[in-house]
Amino acid sequence: MSVLWTASEAARATGGKALGAWQASNVSIDSRSVEPGAIFIALQGARDGHEYVAEALAKGAAAAMVTRVPPRLADNAPLLIVEDTQAGLENLARAARARVDAVVLGVTGSVGKTGTKEMLRTALGNQGRVHAAERSLNNHLGVPLTLARMPRDTGYAVLEIGMNHPGEIAPLARLARLDVAVITAVAPVHLAAFANVDEIARAKAEIFDGLKPGGGAVINRDTETFGILRRAAAAAGARILTFGASADSGFRCRSIRVDGNATTVEASAGGAGLKFRLGAPGRHLAFNALAVLAAVDAAGADATKAARALARWRVPPGRGSRFRVHPVPGNSGWIEVVDESYNANPTSMGAAFDVLAMSTPTGGRRIAILGDMLELGRDEIALHAGLARHPAMGGIDVVHTVGSLMRALHAELPDDRSGEWFESAEALADRVAGLLDIGDVAMVKGSAATGLGRVVEAILALDSHPRDGIET
């Protein structure tokens, strides 16, 4: 692998002292998954990373960033000694950003961040080397880690920037020195930390604090808080690009057709017609794609090429990926699983209901398995109960629920749609074989902390064939 950091470069970047003349090809903050050749950064959080330095070096780490020399190390152990390892990580990120001639794009929003980030990776993939965050590395550790890992020859870097509280996005955006900033949508998420959606919009608009003057600000024209976002972008000196269904959207959606396992979109941009296809079903995905094309345009890349590339995009794991499970040996019939287990809020729940309601079971039922939506604040019970009134609920046959908050939805559902309520994901996972039949389409969705990933695993374990993994 190519050299990402030499000992002398890392020392200059961090103001630290390097012991040994090592070279590193990666950066890691987790001793469990550290790869040979990486710098292991001994962060001090709930557990002190210095306790795992010896383990990381034994696994082949090129060096360890520490504030002190841990015990049980060889005298010639390769180290980078700094005053503070969190600051050291951020300084590596800052130096990596300064040394590349790349267009850096940042994505935030209440919903759709990871999917939009992955769409950008695909859309720009044939126009230059793309470096993008792995999984959902979007917090005070994930953003600097992604930057510190950025190869020297990066053409486009795509960062996901998240938050749970006010003031978290701005420092990350400033660290990244963004050329393009995207806000996918503003929705009632993390209301435990905010009084209302306007406050959430102002927190999301902090991304413009890190936007270079004249950089591109991509904003959802349809959101009710558009005015807040537009004013913040204008105050940052941004070039504003809009997307949505509104007539005055710069990237305007004119029609969406969800056909089986794909979505066809007809749009217009700057007066020119634009038609493209996404390799996954969902009306909400069409609007994420328009945000992507606006961001590509703001980055100075070719939006037409990007639109063609989106046909290769697939949803990330846990965010709508699909699998077929053949539970009966010798029987070609299957259960289709839609894995939405990574996260949930009222907006993303509604989008998932829309997709499930449009699914076509092979003789079975449309089944929703729903877990608690967390961090919704004082209205959390009402927001759960209100899901029963979503228009797409009419197209769902059975709803099974998990968790204390989802009990409110369970109570609101009509008898012909109400399935079983379970206290925990583990309890449902133990019973899931009896809840599903061949021909069903089962969508599993909830906040990650509810553990519905275990339910998905339990369904997949019913497979009597090698798993298709069909991202259908």
Side-chain angles (χ1 to χ4, degrees), residues 148-353:
R149 290 172 167 174
M150 185 162 50
R152 300 167 192 268
D153 61 346
T154 297
Y156 301 98
V158 186
L159 306 175
E160 180 180 339
I161 305 178
M163 63 94 184
N164 293 317
H165 295 84
E168 293 179 338
I169 289 178
L172 299 177
R174 287 194 292 265
L175 183 67
R177 293 176 49 234
L178 299 171
D179 297 287
V180 180
V182 181
I183 299 180
T184 59
V186 176
V189 181
H190 307 306
L191 281 172
F194 297 92
N196 51 49
V197 175
D198 284 359
E199 284 194 3
I200 295 173
R202 283 188 279 272
K204 295 297 183 185
E206 291 176 19
I207 195 171
F208 302 134
D209 290 2
L211 189 63
K212 293 179 179 178
V218 178
I219 305 173
N220 188 331
R221 185 64 184 84
D222 298 338
T223 185
E224 292 181 3
T225 57
F226 173 73
I228 293 172
L229 304 180
R230 179 180 54 78
R231 287 190 292 274
R239 180 168 67 94
I240 298 173
L241 297 87
T242 60
F243 67 95
S246 300
D248 52 354
S249 300
F251 284 72
R252 182 186 178 191
C253 180
R254 293 190 175 276
S255 72
I256 301 170
R257 187 176 77 252
V258 179
D259 180 15
N261 300 313
T263 304
T264 302
V265 184
E266 292 188 19
S268 60
L274 191 62
K275 185 174 182 178
F276 59 93
R277 184 175 174 85
L278 296 170
R283 291 181 57 84
H284 61 295
L285 300 179
F287 291 97
N288 291 349
L290 288 177
V292 164
L293 297 180
V296 167
D297 182 73
D302 189 322
T304 302
K305 286 184 180 179
R308 289 197 295 267
L310 287 176
R312 301 193 300 272
W313 176 79
R314 297 294 183 271
V315 290
R319 294 174 173 84
S321 47
R322 293 180 172 227
F323 303 93
R324 285 178 181 171
V325 172
H326 302 82
V328 180
N331 188 322
S332 61
W334 65 79
I335 299 166
E336 187 168 333
V337 187
V338 185
D339 180 6
E340 286 269 10
S341 62
Y342 184 80
N343 211 347
N345 57 64
T347 300
S348 66
M349 275 288 190
F353 293 167

Side-chain angles (χ1 to χ4, degrees), residues 75-207:
D75 292 340
N76 62 346
L79 300 175
L80 176 61
I81 302 176
V82 298
E83 290 186 5
D84 180 276
T85 50
Q86 172 71 40
L89 172 60
E90 293 168 2
N91 285 330
L92 278 184
R94 199 169 284 109
R97 175 66 181 95
R99 74 184 181 185
V100 298
D101 184 21
V103 177
V104 179
L105 304 93
V107 180
T108 193
S110 300
V111 291
K113 292 185 294 296
T114 301
T116 301
K117 179 256 297 182
E118 290 301 322
M119 276 191 191
L120 277 166
R121 188 201 298 268
T122 300
L124 292 167
N126 59 0
Q127 302 190 52
R129 179 168 184 173
V130 179
H131 173 68
E134 298 175 15
R135 304 184 305 279
S136 292
L137 294 177
N138 63 20
N139 64 6
H140 68 290
L141 299 177
V143 172
L145 181 61
T146 300
L147 287 166
R149 290 172 167 174
M150 185 162 50
R152 300 167 192 268
D153 61 346
T154 297
Y156 301 98
V158 186
L159 306 175
E160 180 180 339
I161 305 178
M163 63 94 184
N164 293 317
H165 295 84
E168 293 179 338
I169 289 178
L172 299 177
R174 287 194 292 265
L175 183 67
R177 293 176 49 234
L178 299 171
D179 297 287
V180 180
V182 181
I183 299 180
T184 59
V186 176
V189 181
H190 307 306
L191 281 172
F194 297 92
N196 51 49
V197 175
D198 284 359
E199 284 194 3
I200 295 173
R202 283 188 279 272
K204 295 297 183 185
E206 291 176 19
I207 195 171

Side-chain angles (χ1 to χ4, degrees), residues 444-466:
V444 183
K445 188 170 181 65
S447 290
T450 64
L452 286 188
R454 298 184 187 93
V455 175
V456 175
E457 292 170 2
I459 299 172
L460 297 180
L462 302 175
D463 202 1
S464 63
H465 299 187

